[in-house]
Amino acid sequence: DGGITQSPKYLFRKEGQNVTLSCEQNLNHDAMYWYRQDPGQGLRLIYYSQIVNDFQKGDIAEGYSVSREKKESFPLTVTSAQKNPTAFYLCASSIDPLDTQYFGPGTRLTVL
Amino acid sequence: AQKITQTQPGMFVQEKEAVTLDCTYDTSDPSYGLFWYKQPSSGEMIFLIYQGSYDQQNATEGRYSLNFQKARKSANLVISASQLGDSAMYFCATSEASGTYKYIFGTGTRLKVLA
């Protein structure tokens, strides 16, 4: 079955700690994305990658970092510099940046 | 600048009736795509339907159809024969080809289907 997986589903972090959210896809898509969603809000783009070893900042990249060493994987690190990291994080992928995006199930991050 | 507007924060519809969710967009690029996604309470975003700016006919996918009015820059989603499982948040989105990558989501409409 092709799809996108995100782990973990729920994540708790203490203030001051970095944490990495996993995103893996087996759809052979070139482009991958990370979004943040706050309660009752729409999606905001954190980072995107159009191809392996390349990524670009989205609208709210401060306090986050990514890597794209493999086509299948696009992990997101939420650093201690992110002032308000508690949110729902969604990963997506698409054949190219203008095509339909397909989403993973999301990771709900809570900072204690 | 590219922009998506969903003016209905919440909608109610009776089971088995049709409902229209509004979406207007603003783009200066002649080539763009329009998308609708459903987000149930579980959180996952589910792709529903796509319309390209050069498509002559309105897109349809099962009970979903996209009422594309290019001159009015609107891309409304029509759900026919509503089911209880249609209760969810619905997001309109657009992609634009010019310049850097741009894929913008609207703020969403929460649909509640009543039995």
Side-chain angles (χ1 to χ4, degrees), chain B residues 78-93:
Chain B
V78 180
I79 305 175
S80 62
S82 296
Q83 301 172 356
L84 296 177
D86 293 335
S87 294
M89 281 289 286
Y90 289 82
F91 291 94
C92 181

Side-chain angles (χ1 to χ4, degrees), chain B residues 20-103:
Chain B
T20 298
L21 307 183
D22 295 341
C23 173
T24 58
Y25 60 93
D26 191 8
T27 176
S28 55
D29 198 305
S31 177
Y32 52 89
L34 294 156
F35 308 81
W36 276 93
Y37 291 84
K38 172 184 178 181
Q39 187 178 42
S41 57
S42 61
E44 185 168 356
M45 294 282 283
I46 302 167
F47 166 68
L48 296 177
I49 196 166
Y50 163 81
Q51 179 88 41
S53 58
Y54 293 118
D55 293 342
Q56 295 296 316
Q57 299 206 348
N58 288 343
T60 60
E61 289 287 347
R63 294 186 299 111
Y64 303 109
S65 61
L66 201 152
N67 184 1
F68 181 45
Q69 298 187 43
K70 196 169 183 176
R72 297 181 60 187
K73 295 190 174 181
S74 78
N76 299 339
L77 177 71
V78 180
I79 305 175
S80 62
S82 296
Q83 301 172 356
L84 296 177
D86 293 335
S87 294
M89 281 289 286
Y90 289 82
F91 291 94
C92 181
T94 182
S95 66
E96 189 175 275
S98 67
T100 58
Y101 157 80
K102 276 292 183 184
Y103 200 107

Side-chain angles (χ1 to χ4, degrees), chain A residues 22-54:
Chain A
S22 167
C23 177
E24 305 276 331
Q25 55 99 0
N26 61 4
L27 299 168
N28 200 33
H29 287 171
D30 282 317
M32 296 187 75
Y33 316 83
W34 274 105
Y35 291 93
R36 170 180 172 142
Q37 187 179 32
D38 292 288
Q41 303 296 314
L43 277 65
R44 292 186 290 168
L45 181 66
I46 304 172
Y47 268 98
Y48 66 99
S49 168
Q50 298 189 42
I51 201 166
V52 174
N53 292 322
D54 182 64

Side-chain angles (χ1 to χ4, degrees), chain A residues 37-93:
Chain A
Q37 187 179 32
D38 292 288
Q41 303 296 314
L43 277 65
R44 292 186 290 168
L45 181 66
I46 304 172
Y47 268 98
Y48 66 99
S49 168
Q50 298 189 42
I51 201 166
V52 174
N53 292 322
D54 182 64
F55 49 84
Q56 306 293 331
K57 292 182 179 179
D59 300 319
I60 56 165
E62 186 175 347
Y64 300 97
S65 66
V66 293
S67 63
R68 186 87 187 276
E69 296 175 4
K70 297 186 299 181
K71 189 174 186 177
E72 304 79 28
S73 178
F74 192 40
L76 173 75
T77 297
V78 184
T79 74
S80 55
Q82 170 49 234
K83 297 302 178 194
N84 185 20
T86 294
F88 187 56
Y89 291 87
L90 284 159
C91 178
S93 72

